[in-house]
Amino acid sequence: MRQLSFMPNRRRPVSLALAAAALASMPAAAFAAEKTGMSSEGIFVLEVILLLVVGRGIGELLERLGQPAVMGQLIGGILLGPSLLGWLWPAAERLVFAGDAAQKSMINAIAQFGVLMLLLLTGMETDLRLVRRVGRACFSISATGVAVPFALGFVAAQFMPASLLATGSERIVSGLFLGTALSISSVKIVAMVVREMNFMRRDLGQIIVSSAIIEDTIGWVIIAITIGIATHGRIELASLAFTLAGVAAFMAFSFTLGRRIVFDAIRWTNDTFRSEYAVVTVILAIMGGMALVTDLIGVHTVLGAFVAGILVGESPILSRHIEGQLRGVITALFMPVFFGVAGLSADLTVLVDPELALLTVALVAIASLGKFGGAFIGAEVAGMSRSEGIAVGCGMNARGSTEVIVASIGLSIGVISHTLFTMIVTMAVITTLAMPPTLRWALGRLPMGEAEKKRLEREEVDQRGFITNLERHACEA
């Protein structure tokens, strides 16, 4: 897993200025579009610019406050949509972000392809070797951490008002989807806080990150299967059996012969091609091919992109330079556009209704208690202390970008309504912003055991010895 850097709370006035400038650009750009009569292509370019600038400005402010920048991109989209711009200036919001079908399809195409790119990056950052090193504790934590919130989400969907469900969607299918949405965690945000607290080499830090990795992997498999069921509108045993068999065969092939094929393709391209970015092209082709395979077996393309990312990330010759090229274009373009478009689909004005506001509070409570309780139970089963269990429960509660991806897919395939989508996005924002301070508090209360202290000291001595020998051999050479 790549090292995630944390920006300290410095130069906050600069961050505020960036965020203010980004927000100030909204009405100016909308006014220009209204007065000059831009074409569909021009409005498309304006949409991209606004999503990039506003999302980056707010994300920079949040990161300097110790929060994930990706939430700034989502909040930027919310502010540009009906929640703020559409409320203050409806004509401008309709002109820029609710134009004709051709213009909307252009920005949605980038957002949809951005989902695959985000899952590719997520897979590349999934370190299965860390999971193998930690042992059995993370498996019990991830098992209960998925099962408990999934069950609570499924039950909650059975009692939700029919108005929150998509038209024509079966309540059981919506329950499967909501349960899956509540059971997933964000590995990136968990790793950010654990690394910031210098817990990455500590036993508990590795268990927390490994548990999040397993939950993420299980979650995407369940999501793909659930979406396969949802596309049929109801549960059909024959179709479900085919889907499960197809997923099992795909996963088995991917992590055996498929791994070797991916490794060889990257190596051959790197050794043979002379043109620029050839390896990046092959990686994107691998992602697209695996996404098509999962689509053919009746599950969503996100599973293929995620597994492709895992295999690419494990490639022995994948250089940091190539990985950086991919990460650059994804984080600079596809990520802010996707999360911005997701924010545009959320309408927080519906929460003015007291009933919907209370239901949203209930959804946040169910999601938080379910995730915390499930992870805490898993930690107890693994024989961990109560303080360690609290830290694990706090760490698993961040939904982050993964929750928004899941909700966007559910909205696009007609499983959830726009109102429920808004409620889920609100829950994702609240749990994500609450997780870093709670995990910092929980980790700060944990002393280091004597055995762990000796292990870390031994590893540090071994590391210094390795570097010394390396320098000595280099001088001799």
Side-chain angles (χ1 to χ4, degrees):
M1 181 171 296
R2 74 181 182 95
Q3 295 190 357
L4 297 168
S5 60
F6 171 75
M7 292 290 294
N9 297 340
R10 295 177 299 172
R11 299 172 64 190
R12 192 167 297 175
V14 177
S15 302
L16 291 172
L18 287 172
L23 293 174
S25 67
M26 295 193 302
F31 180 79
E34 187 177 25
K35 294 301 181 183
T36 58
M38 286 185 180
S39 64
S40 294
E41 292 79 6
I43 293 177
F44 164 71
V45 174
L46 177 61
E47 286 178 333
V48 173
I49 292 173
L50 281 173
L51 293 175
L52 293 180
V53 173
V54 175
R56 180 64 63 184
I58 300 176
E60 182 70 13
L61 173 61
L62 286 181
E63 185 161 344
R64 291 174 186 269
L65 294 174
Q67 295 287 351
V70 67
M71 286 296 101
Q73 297 164 5
L74 175 64
I75 293 172
I78 292 174
L79 298 180
L80 287 167
S83 301
L84 181 63
L85 182 61
W87 177 57
L88 296 175
W89 194 356
E93 191 265 336
R94 285 194 300 269
L95 176 66
V96 179
F97 292 106
D100 57 39
Q103 176 257 317
K104 290 180 68 175
S105 65
M106 288 189 283
I107 194 70
N108 286 331
I110 293 185
Q112 292 303 314
F113 190 72
V115 174
L116 299 183
M117 298 291 282
L118 284 169
L119 267 296
L120 174 71
L121 182 60
T122 301
M124 290 174 63
E125 294 175 337
T126 300
D127 190 354
L128 296 181
R129 290 169 294 185
L130 177 62
V131 176
R132 300 186 191 106
R133 287 200 303 268
V134 170
R136 294 182 300 175
C138 56
F139 289 98
S140 64
I141 293 170
S142 57
T144 55
V146 170
V148 173
F150 182 90
L152 292 177
F154 182 83
V155 172
Q158 310 314 308
F159 297 95
M160 277 187 172
S163 59
L164 295 181
L165 306 178
T167 305
S169 175
E170 284 195 2
R171 195 172 284 272
I172 292 180
V173 176
S174 298
L176 291 173
F177 184 86
L178 184 61
T180 306
L182 298 191
S183 63
I184 201 164
S185 296
S186 176
V187 178
K188 186 177 296 185
I189 296 171
V190 172
M192 177 193 77
V193 179
V194 170
R195 192 176 299 280
E196 172 212 335
M197 294 291 293
N198 293 321
F199 260 76
M200 206 60 190
R201 292 175 60 219
R202 295 276 298 271
D203 294 338
L204 182 62
Q206 294 187 2
I207 289 174
I208 291 174
V209 175
S210 298
S211 300
I213 289 172
I214 296 176
E215 286 190 12
D216 212 34
T217 305
I218 294 173
W220 286 116
V221 174
I222 296 175
I223 287 166
I225 295 173
T226 302
I227 293 171
I229 297 171
T231 53
H232 294 87
R234 60 187 183 278
I235 298 178
E236 299 176 351
L237 293 180
S239 176
L240 178 59
F242 174 79
T243 300
L244 291 173
V247 170
F250 171 75
M251 297 295 284
F253 176 83
S254 297
F255 290 101
T256 53
L257 184 60
R259 175 188 273 112
R260 176 52 52 193
I261 293 174
V262 170
F263 289 2
D264 289 345
I266 294 176
R267 184 185 301 276
W268 179 78
T269 304
N270 185 70
D271 295 342
T272 305
F273 281 69
R274 296 185 178 182
S275 55
E276 291 184 320
Y277 310 120
V279 173
V280 174
T281 301
V282 169
I283 290 173
L284 295 178
I286 291 171
M287 177 199 73
M290 297 184 73
L292 287 176
V293 170
T294 55
D295 183 68
L296 290 174
I297 63 178
V299 297
H300 202 274
T301 52
V302 293
L303 179 62
F306 177 67
V307 175
I310 293 177
L311 300 183
V312 169
E314 291 187 335
S315 174
I317 67 164
L318 184 66
S319 67
R320 288 187 177 274
H321 178 62
I322 295 173
E323 186 179 358
Q325 291 171 343
L326 271 173
R327 179 173 288 107
V329 69
I330 293 172
T331 56
L333 174 61
F334 289 103
M335 186 179 291
V337 169
F338 167 75
F339 288 111
V341 170
L344 291 172
S345 301
D347 185 2
L348 298 186
T349 59
V350 301
L351 301 183
V352 175
D353 184 338
E355 182 181 358
L356 290 178
L358 286 175
L359 287 173
T360 303
V361 171
L363 182 65
V364 174
I366 292 171
S368 300
L369 293 176
K371 200 66 180 175
F372 179 89
F376 183 83
I377 292 171
E380 289 282 317
V381 172
M384 301 171 67
S385 69
R386 183 156 298 180
S387 297
E388 290 174 331
I390 292 174
V392 171
C394 291
M396 295 298 105
N397 201 32
R399 269 50 179 210
S401 57
T402 51
E403 181 74 19
V404 180
I405 295 172
V406 174
S408 299
I409 294 172
L411 181 64
S412 66
I413 65 175
V415 179
I416 61 176
S417 64
H418 272 88
T419 301
L420 184 55
F421 172 83
T422 299
M423 294 167 60
I424 293 175
V425 168
T426 303
M427 180 268 292
V429 172
I430 292 174
T431 58
T432 301
L433 297 182
M435 177 271 193
T438 56
L439 182 56
R440 291 184 190 113
W441 168 80
L443 292 178
R445 299 170 61 246
L446 291 172
M448 185 183 298
E450 193 63 32
E452 186 177 20
K453 185 177 180 180
K454 290 181 179 179
R455 176 182 66 81
L456 293 175
E457 290 174 351
R458 184 172 62 253
E459 290 178 357
E460 187 175 349
V461 170
D462 292 342
Q463 182 69 16
R464 284 203 303 265
F466 171 77
I467 294 174
T468 301
N469 290 333
L470 191 66
E471 292 174 345
R472 179 172 56 83
H473 291 316
C475 291
E476 290 175 354

